[in-house]
Amino acid sequence: RDTFAAGQRLLEALGYEVVATTGTHCCGALPRHAGDVAAAATEAARTREALQATGAAVVLSSATGCYGDVRDQVLAGSTTRVADIHAFLASDPGFAALRFRPLAARAALHLPCTQVNVVGEVAAIRALLARIPELAILTLPEQPRCCGAAGSYFIEHPDIADRLRGEKLDQARALAPDLLLTTNIGCRIHLGNGLRERAAHVPVLHPLALLAQQLENSPP
């Protein structure tokens, strides 16, 4: 919810009209991960109908685990463009006119597997975060790439998933961050749960949430 609200605030600051579907819709990624192709197709069809009913020119994804299915399943063959919201914001000339309040903090940036392997646009994320004065961006080591969330894997195979998460959290602890950033909702839940189990008071945020939190003005 905070990610969606943050994205809307940033887009409206740039003058865009933001529209959303009514109700809750799934792109079908989770049933597809589980091998239920029929259920995934049904979900994708419903979501396609809901998205096209908005009349939007472009569909923006802020969840890396959904991006591939929205692009390749939900809106495949459609004239509706699908874009990563970070790339969309970073490419807008008006973004340079936005001002952000300084934040003297160390932020560990977690790059989910789907961000690197499916979405890309890592440079856009870094460019957006670089607009926050005094914020130090620390990148977690690439390996192990997976934090253990992997769609529904952390629910179905918790022992392995927790071991992978432990390695990633150890890497984060070595960086001594004030907050942890990730663009995948499953990773955010999984890593956040692990930090709470360790009694580590490090908030886990989507980069958009941090940007909206520090946004100071809209362009004139």
Side-chain angles (χ1 to χ4, degrees):
R1 184 182 301 173
D2 64 341
T3 302
F4 181 85
Q8 182 168 351
R9 184 178 181 210
L10 293 165
L11 289 163
E12 289 179 345
L14 294 172
Y16 291 101
E17 178 188 0
V18 180
V19 294
T21 60
T22 57
T24 302
H25 302 280
C26 175
C27 66
L30 280 177
R32 189 175 301 282
H33 288 174
D36 194 342
V37 177
T42 298
E43 293 284 5
R46 290 173 180 163
T47 301
R48 179 189 180 100
E49 182 179 355
L51 289 173
Q52 293 189 324
T54 66
V58 59
V59 172
L60 300 178
S61 173
S62 60
T64 64
C66 300
Y67 177 87
D69 272 58
V70 173
R71 180 192 63 190
D72 302 333
Q73 305 295 331
V74 175
L75 292 173
S78 168
T79 57
T80 305
R81 184 162 67 96
V82 179
D84 171 68
I85 191 169
H86 307 95
F88 186 87
L89 291 170
S91 66
D92 189 296
F95 200 85
L98 298 181
R99 291 199 304 271
F100 295 86
R101 290 185 293 273
L103 181 63
R106 295 166 60 84
L109 177 60
H110 170 252
L111 296 174
C113 305
T114 43
Q115 185 74 60
V116 175
N117 299 325
V118 180
V119 183
E121 307 298 356
V122 172
I125 298 171
R126 295 186 185 280
L128 295 179
L129 292 172
R131 296 296 314 284
I132 301 176
E134 300 181 26
L135 180 67
I137 301 298
L138 316 166
T139 303
L140 290 168
E142 289 190 2
Q143 301 301 330
R145 172 73 72 190
C146 184
C147 69
S152 57
Y153 190 88
F154 72 117
I155 299 171
E156 298 159 356
H157 305 281
D159 291 342
I160 299 174
D162 287 356
R163 285 200 297 271
L164 287 168
R165 180 180 63 188
E167 293 179 19
K168 189 59 66 179
L169 291 180
D170 287 344
Q171 292 175 343
R173 182 176 57 189
L175 297 176
D178 300 299
L179 62 155
L180 179 60
L181 303 175
T182 185
T183 53
N184 182 283
I185 181 61
C187 300
R188 182 179 178 184
I189 293 170
H190 191 48
L191 292 169
N193 288 343
L195 287 167
R196 280 189 290 274
E197 288 176 9
R198 293 184 175 201
H201 302 291
V202 178
V204 185
L205 300 175
H206 193 288
L208 294 178
L210 182 62
L211 286 161
Q213 171 187 298
Q214 298 304 119
L215 181 64
E216 187 174 78
N217 79 313
S218 300

